[in-house]
Amino acid sequence: MGYLNQEQHKLVSDAVGEAELGTSGEILTVLADSSDGYTDVALWWALAGSFTAMSIFAALPQPFLDFWDGLIGGWGREWSIGELASMTIALGLITFVTILLVQMWQPLKFLAIPSLVKTSRVHGQAIKHFKVGAERRTHGRTGVLIYLSMSEHRAEIVADEPIAALVPPEVWGEAMGDMLIEIKQGNIAEGLAVGVRDVGFVLSQHFPRADDDENELPDRLIEV
């Protein structure tokens, strides 16, 4: 997977390097294809569809039986309880497998994922990347992660505790808004660069660069 070419990667990395010239803060950028496989969600949809199909058949079996008789050219035979039970189970299994297979088409799969689930998974993955790549890894704990998840169309800005204590969430919201304007137009690298510059400006107000400051985190964009 690769959304950006080498030149676009350089655009983001250069923006990080530029932004960090005015602050002791460190900015980490991560671009992800998706934040989760959502296998559990696909299974829940398949289970719900299967249960619904079996429930409808149990409540209104005659239309199904008439349709089956029409397919096999039957005479409207009498079905035993065992045969009806077998048909119910078969209908449930067919529906379950069909819904799972349909969700293998990724656009439909992500369309079927509830918005709150997407937001929660993206946030969780952003926190995970922050803990691994930035949290407590800078002098003074001044790391900020900009995380973009393409399949979910979600982005997150996560900051170390000293920064979060000084910068209100709405400030990051403004930076996010500037970034997403470009990204929605298909300009992923440009959008990330805008977000980096906004975050760098905010950091420079609260954590100006010291003379002996060292670059503690890589400037390069990470694609996962």
Side-chain angles (χ1 to χ4, degrees), residues 152-167:
E152 292 90 348
H153 297 169
R154 299 287 195 282
E156 291 272 343
I157 296 177
V158 185
D160 244 323
E161 287 181 18
I163 299 173
L166 293 174
V167 182

Side-chain angles (χ1 to χ4, degrees), residues 3 9 20 37 39 46 52 58-59 64-65 71 79-80 87 128 139 152-153 174 178 181 186 188 190 206 217 224:
Y3 284 94
H9 268 265
E20 290 179 353
T39 303
T52 300
F64 290 91
L65 298 177
L71 285 179
W79 299 89
S80 69
M87 291 179 71
K128 184 184 295 184
H139 179 71
E152 292 90 348
H153 297 169
E174 292 174 8
D178 292 341
I181 288 173
I188 300 172
E190 291 79 1
H206 299 282
L217 296 178
V224 293

Side-chain angles (χ1 to χ4, degrees), residues 148 150 152-155 173 176-192 194:
L148 180 62
M150 297 301 295
E152 292 90 348
H153 297 169
R154 299 287 195 282
M176 188 85 73
D178 292 341
M179 179 173 71
L180 293 181
I181 288 173
E182 290 287 344
I183 292 171
K184 287 176 181 177
Q185 297 174 0
N187 304 321
I188 300 172
E190 291 79 1
L192 283 168
V194 168

Side-chain angles (χ1 to χ4, degrees), residues 65-100:
L65 298 177
D66 291 342
F67 175 73
W68 179 250
D69 282 336
L71 285 179
I72 64 175
W75 292 87
R77 57 169 288 190
E78 291 291 328
W79 299 89
S80 69
I81 293 176
E83 289 173 327
L84 290 174
S86 297
M87 291 179 71
T88 304
I89 295 170
L91 178 63
L93 287 173
I94 291 169
T95 304
F96 181 85
V97 172
T98 300
I99 293 176
L100 276 185

Side-chain angles (χ1 to χ4, degrees), residues 1-6 8-14 16 20 26-35 125-126 128-135 137 144-150 154 156 179 188-189 192-193 196 216-224:
M1 188 280 298
Y3 284 94
L4 304 180
N5 58 35
Q6 188 174 352
Q8 291 168 320
H9 268 265
K10 186 177 185 302
L11 175 66
V12 178
S13 299
D14 288 348
V16 173
E20 290 179 353
E26 295 286 337
I27 302 171
L28 185 67
T29 54
V30 177
L31 173 63
D33 177 43
S34 66
S35 294
Q125 196 67 9
K128 184 184 295 184
H129 280 286
F130 178 73
K131 287 181 178 296
V132 171
E135 187 179 39
R137 294 187 60 187
V144 177
L145 168 72
I146 298 177
Y147 178 79
L148 180 62
S149 194
M150 297 301 295
R154 299 287 195 282
E156 291 272 343
M179 179 173 71
I188 300 172
L192 283 168
V196 166
E216 297 173 282
L217 296 178
D219 293 344
R220 67 182 180 86
L221 169 67
I222 300 170
E223 281 200 67
V224 293

